[in-house]
Amino acid sequence: MNSDHRKYFDSQILPCHRRMYAAALAMLGSTDDAADAVQTAMLNIWEAVADGRRFDAPMSYALSALRNVCLSAIEKRRKNVGIDTVDAPEAPDAADALANLGDATRLLGHLPERERKALVLNAFAGCDASEISATLGVSPVNARQILSRARKKLRSLFE
């Protein structure tokens, strides 16, 4: 890699590192897996820059490269779970399940409106963070944060 490529990488790509790590941690849930994903994505970008590529939006490109690495890691995890390693959950008692559902829906009323909407969209409508963000008018990262807070508050109310 010549010095121009190195300067470009250092000035345009390396500053993306923190946001890449935060995104990888959110997607993978493990600090070690997130660090590995960022390292792999950075290596892929390094090779592209060494081949002379330049990016109009380096941060967007870096996050896209990271997303692809994370999706591959998630897919590998899913494929590696064997049927014999998964314990079948016990079937809940129907009366307990109905009582818990009633309690949960009653406790939803105690959440702030945005958190309640996010939780209902996720749990009952099956919406992901991007769909929730569009409905609430916030960024996907903020939607995940709202959803996380809602779950924590509901869990504490439930206990």
Side-chain angles (χ1 to χ4, degrees):
M1 176 178 278
N2 68 35
S3 64
D4 289 337
H5 298 313
R6 177 64 189 229
K7 286 178 187 174
Y8 176 81
F9 187 86
D10 289 348
S11 67
Q12 300 297 315
I13 304 301
L14 281 183
C16 304
H17 181 267
R18 285 182 185 253
R19 286 193 57 194
M20 290 173 71
Y21 180 77
L25 187 57
M27 286 186 266
L28 299 174
S30 161
T31 56
D32 291 337
D33 291 344
D36 290 344
V38 170
Q39 182 176 356
T40 301
M42 283 291 197
L43 180 60
N44 294 342
I45 298 168
W46 174 269
E47 290 170 353
V49 169
D51 289 338
R53 295 216 31 216
R54 297 291 186 264
F55 313 107
D56 293 334
M59 178 69 74
S60 295
Y61 183 84
L63 290 172
S64 292
L66 175 72
R67 180 184 55 102
N68 293 337
V69 169
C70 289
L71 289 175
S72 294
I74 291 167
E75 185 64 24
K76 280 182 186 174
R77 272 191 214 160
R78 206 169 55 95
K79 285 181 179 177
N80 288 339
V81 175
I83 192 78
D84 57 337
T85 62
V86 179
D87 294 331
E90 289 185 26
D93 179 74
D96 288 343
L98 285 174
N100 288 341
L101 181 60
D103 289 343
T105 53
R106 182 181 50 79
L107 293 174
L108 279 173
H110 295 288
L111 296 177
E113 183 180 350
R114 284 171 89 180
E115 292 176 4
R116 183 176 59 249
K117 283 182 181 178
L119 198 57
V120 167
L121 286 169
N122 180 257
F124 298 114
C127 295
D128 63 9
S130 63
E131 295 166 324
I132 294 170
S133 71
T135 303
L136 297 180
V138 298
S139 71
V141 172
N142 197 1
R144 282 192 294 277
Q145 183 71 30
I146 291 168
L147 189 57
S148 175
R149 285 187 193 134
R151 286 183 185 129
K152 286 178 186 174
K153 286 180 184 176
L154 186 62
R155 194 175 304 121
S156 69
L157 289 170
F158 210 85
E159 294 168 350

